[in-house]
Amino acid sequence: MTTPPPARVGDPTDAIDTPALVIDLDAFERNLDRMAAFSHDTGIRVRPHAKTHKSPAVARQQMQRGAVGQCCQKVGEAEVLVHGGINNVLVSNQIVGAHKVARLAALARRAWVGVCADDPIQVKAYGEAARRAQVELHVLVEIDVGAARCGVVPGAPAVELAKYIADTPGLVFEGLQAYHGSAQHIRGHRERRAAIITAAQAVQTTSEKLGAAGLDCRTIGGAGTGSFRFETETGLWNELQPGSYCFLDADYARNLDDSGVERTEFEHALFVASTVMSASAPGRAVVDAGHKASAIDSGLPTLWKRPDASYIGAADEHGKLSLGAGAAKLSLGDRVWLVPGHVDPTVNLHDWYVGVRGGLENGVVECLWPVAARGAGA
């Protein structure tokens, strides 16, 4: 059951009930504008990843700025996007299971729908479902470019799979999916670039063999918030799939730039609003945002504009703060803004976005957006 929104349009930020997922709309829009300008300047398509935001409202903002469509990882997410008016969706993942594949094919009656494959069994199922639904599905061969997760071996094995796709009625061979997920959070700038250069060698080899086999590789997709500039430098990728850039989390902010400094071109735009619920001992405070409000798989959240305090531990409904020597006191009822360690699973913990205009301290609630694909894991 969806909970009521934690605020009303027109409320001041201090009236937002907590814990709540809050978007600083000014920073959020600057992030979208930066990526849109990059796409325009380079001529490379951007297909943002909706596994981050899970929201047709956010997707529409991105597409109004020129994004060609959206990525997602699950059929349930694709359904929410298409039902929300998004007409171009790539499930950048393998889909297994007759029911899921049938649902995916049904969406292609209403939108351009793509999906990935790394095994002929998947391709066979996609083709059968597409023919039953009397649609076309666009299929990308995912190659393993170094993440050692999904993906067929680059080169000849990938070409054989592409031929099978091209020969299967109901399917269109679209190109290559070449996403190096584990490279996104390699801290060192040089090391992160080196990982993508290695990935590019696999892409180059595979695309050349596809060309020799007479297969048109219309799309080479991949790249993320931590690496998209490196993929662009290679001249191989023509579609970028960053997700977290729109919000930015504490973990991405730890990546180093080329001078060795923690710096990113995007701004923190997503926060968990929390309230001090206990301050019973000196140097300690407890807020009402724990595991159920902010994911900690990529580290604990950080405190926004409070370098004198740290979030040091989480329980289900409690977040424990440590106040440094000389720190400003936190009292019952004080508002604390948390920057999530990992935005994607944090978003999935909430039913609503509260969009704030004019800053976190003195802003006003401008919009309420449902996290429409929350829990869409199938």
Side-chain angles (χ1 to χ4, degrees):
M1 182 178 70
T2 302
T3 59
R8 296 173 298 179
V9 172
D11 279 349
T13 55
D14 60 8
I16 299 170
D17 199 11
T18 63
L21 195 63
V22 176
I23 300 176
D24 179 337
L25 293 171
D26 300 304
F28 165 73
E29 290 169 3
R30 287 192 294 269
N31 286 342
L32 299 192
D33 290 342
R34 287 187 185 102
M35 186 60 75
F38 178 83
S39 176
H40 178 269
D41 292 345
T42 60
I44 296 181
R45 305 190 300 264
V46 172
R47 178 185 291 277
H49 218 308
K51 73 181 178 68
T52 294
H53 57 71
K54 292 179 170 284
S55 165
V58 173
R60 285 192 291 271
Q61 293 268 335
Q62 293 169 323
M63 293 181 72
Q64 286 166 8
R65 288 167 169 82
V68 297
Q70 294 282 298
C71 293
C72 60
Q73 292 295 84
K74 298 290 187 174
V75 176
E77 291 174 339
E79 288 170 332
V80 169
L81 290 170
V82 173
H83 296 334
I86 305 305
N87 63 3
N88 191 304
V89 177
L90 167 65
V91 180
S92 53
N93 205 358
Q94 292 72 31
I95 302 302
V96 174
H99 181 58
K100 290 187 182 73
V101 176
R103 287 162 52 202
L104 184 73
L107 286 180
R109 298 190 184 108
R110 301 174 54 190
W112 185 99
V113 173
V115 66
C116 293
D118 63 4
D119 191 288
I121 294 173
Q122 299 153 358
V123 175
K124 183 175 184 289
Y126 296 161
E128 290 172 351
R131 293 192 295 276
R132 281 194 297 268
Q134 298 184 313
V135 298
E136 282 187 339
L137 288 174
H138 297 255
V139 184
L140 288 82
V141 172
E142 181 166 8
I143 59 174
D144 182 1
V145 293
R149 190 171 64 181
C150 297
V152 67
V153 174
V159 174
E160 288 305 308
L161 188 59
K163 288 179 179 176
Y164 184 35
I165 294 166
D167 291 341
T168 300
L171 304 183
V172 176
F173 172 63
E174 180 66 25
L176 297 177
Q177 174 72 1
Y179 173 62
H180 197 334
S182 56
Q184 302 309 308
H185 300 280
I186 295 174
R187 295 299 177 219
H189 187 270
R190 180 182 302 172
E191 293 79 6
R192 202 160 60 250
R193 172 181 272 136
I196 300 307
I197 290 172
T198 299
Q201 293 167 356
V203 171
Q204 180 84 43
T205 297
T206 307
S207 60
E208 287 176 353
K209 288 183 180 296
L210 286 168
L215 292 168
D216 181 18
C217 192
R218 286 184 289 270
T219 297
I220 297 178
T225 298
S227 73
F228 70 94
R229 286 189 176 273
F230 304 141
E231 279 91 351
T232 300
E233 289 172 2
T234 70
L236 294 170
W237 280 261
N238 60 11
E239 190 167 284
L240 308 177
Q241 301 170 351
S244 299
Y245 80 95
C246 65
F247 294 148
L248 196 68
D249 53 34
D251 193 66
Y252 264 117
R254 297 184 185 105
N255 282 358
L256 306 180
D257 67 10
D258 56 1
S259 65
V261 174
E262 290 184 358
R263 184 181 294 130
T264 173
E265 60 198 288
F266 301 106
E267 304 174 52
H268 290 301
L270 187 79
F271 303 87
V272 175
S274 65
T275 300
V276 175
M277 57 186 287
S278 175
S280 58
R284 186 180 75 206
V286 178
V287 295
D288 59 357
H291 290 300
K292 295 180 182 178
S294 185
I296 65 168
D297 59 301
S298 294
L300 295 169
T302 60
L303 275 64
W304 180 241
K305 293 187 176 179
R306 283 300 303 260
D308 56 346
S310 301
Y311 191 110
I312 61 170
D316 283 358
E317 310 292 357
H318 300 79
K320 186 175 178 180
L321 310 185
S322 174
L323 306 181
K329 183 182 178 183
L330 284 171
S331 302
L332 293 183
D334 282 353
R335 178 62 43 91
V336 177
W337 300 94
L338 305 178
V339 179
H342 189 182
V343 289
D344 300 17
T346 296
V347 166
N348 200 49
L349 296 171
H350 296 263
D351 287 326
W352 292 94
Y353 288 114
V354 180
V356 169
R357 182 77 65 187
L360 298 181
E361 281 96 18
N362 301 307
V364 174
V365 176
E366 182 176 292
C367 59
L368 299 164
W369 294 336
V371 182
R374 180 186 182 188

